Amino acid sequence: MSEASIIDGKALAAQVQERVRAAVEELKKRHGFVPGLAVVLVGDDPASRVYVRNKGKRTTEAGMKSFEYQLPADTGEEALLERIARLNKSPEVHGILVQLPLPKQINPDRVIDAIDPDKDVDGFHVINAGRLAVGRPALVPCTPLGCVLLAKQAKADLTGLEAVIIGRSNIVGKPLAQLLLRENCTVTIAHSRTRDLPEVARRADLLVAAVGRPELVRGSWIKPGAIVIDVGINRVERENGKAKLVGDVAFGEAKEVAGAITPVPGGVGPMTIAMLLVNTVKAACMQRNIPLPRPLAGL
Ligand code: NDP
């Protein structure tokens, strides 16, 4: 059997970003406004800082307004809630994202609950989770949205596929299950208590790993020809003492068996930010009650 084709998340993310740029241009011309995204970071976690900086950069590259708030690590919950209340009211801000994880003194549920669901571009609010579950228009979490587009690069119509998702988090596994149901897949969600995980994984025509365990999924777990989407981002030490990023899938083994596979890095990661930009335009259009610009049709 030939090697898997590599699904290029960087290239797809660049295409999506270009469509967002064109959509923003259209909004400016036809409706005279530019969508704005506010990103709030509490504390100085270095990885979060990098994410926030990248999000801001991509937002402005797409022609939108970016508002960044870096709050000190000892910020209290009330102060953060006040900041969110102001952003909820601001007519220039159409999307609000609070970078997780938050410091211990802040309850993330209270923070997510405080974001206006129509500005909740992360799609973590219970109202959006509920809308997604019952099939109403919703702001949907970015990483699962990216996973579906990546899978469709390998097979445009996912109807009827056996999909197995390893991981049941609220930010990846559960919303992805809803999206794949919408795509007419037969969906299994596996987790740390699943019996005989390799056997369950081998059933999958579409296997998604969203676990956070470096190279948990071996080549022998993969059905020949399957589409494999690797969400995991794990920093591991190399023998030379330097760190490298690996996914939840043993890529070298998996590409010998799979039909198509996403790499880490360069797979799901870039798509997450691209879908955040899409969600910001969607949120802006919903708030203004105008249709989604044509360049974003189908996204
Ligand atoms: P969580 O820790 O919230 O969830 C992990 C899930 O994996 C849980 O459902 C857990 O099961 C399950 N799990 C843990 N160990 C095993 C095991 N040995 N066998 C089977 N299932 C297991 O993680 P997230 O969903 O937030 O993230 C998952 C990974 O994806 C991480 O590496 C994260 O860094 C990455 N990520 C990447 C993003 C991107 O943009 N590329 C965005 C978001 C996340 P249980 O529920 O039983 O505990």
Side-chain angles (χ1 to χ4, degrees), residues 143 167-169 171-172 191-192 197 210-213 231-233 268-269 272:
T143 300
R168 56 175 161 181
S169 72
I171 65 172
V172 188
H191 44 77
S192 66
L197 185 59
V211 186
R213 300 269 182 280
V231 183
I233 300 178
V268 175
T272 296

Side-chain angles (χ1 to χ4, degrees), residues 14-26:
Q15 282 172 30
V16 171
Q17 170 147 352
E18 177 50 33
R19 288 169 68 179
V20 171
R21 203 198 49 72
V24 170
E25 199 62 34
E26 196 174 307

Side-chain angles (χ1 to χ4, degrees), residues 209-229:
V211 186
R213 300 269 182 280
E215 302 184 332
L216 173 81
V217 176
R218 312 308 309 187
S220 61
W221 296 25
I222 294 166
K223 179 173 171 175
I227 303 167
V228 178
I229 307 291

Side-chain angles (χ1 to χ4, degrees), residues 27 31 33 281-282 284-293:
L27 287 177
H31 300 280
F33 84 103
V281 176
K282 277 190 184 165
C285 292
M286 270 158 52
Q287 285 156 45
R288 293 203 156 215
N289 212 8
I290 54 179
L292 200 60

Side-chain angles (χ1 to χ4, degrees), residues 86 107 213:
R86 262 180 276 155
N107 176 347
R213 300 269 182 280

Side-chain angles (χ1 to χ4, degrees), residues 76-83 110:
E77 190 174 280
E78 287 312 316
L80 179 57
L81 293 176
E82 273 169 34
R83 166 69 59 190
R110 281 201 70 199

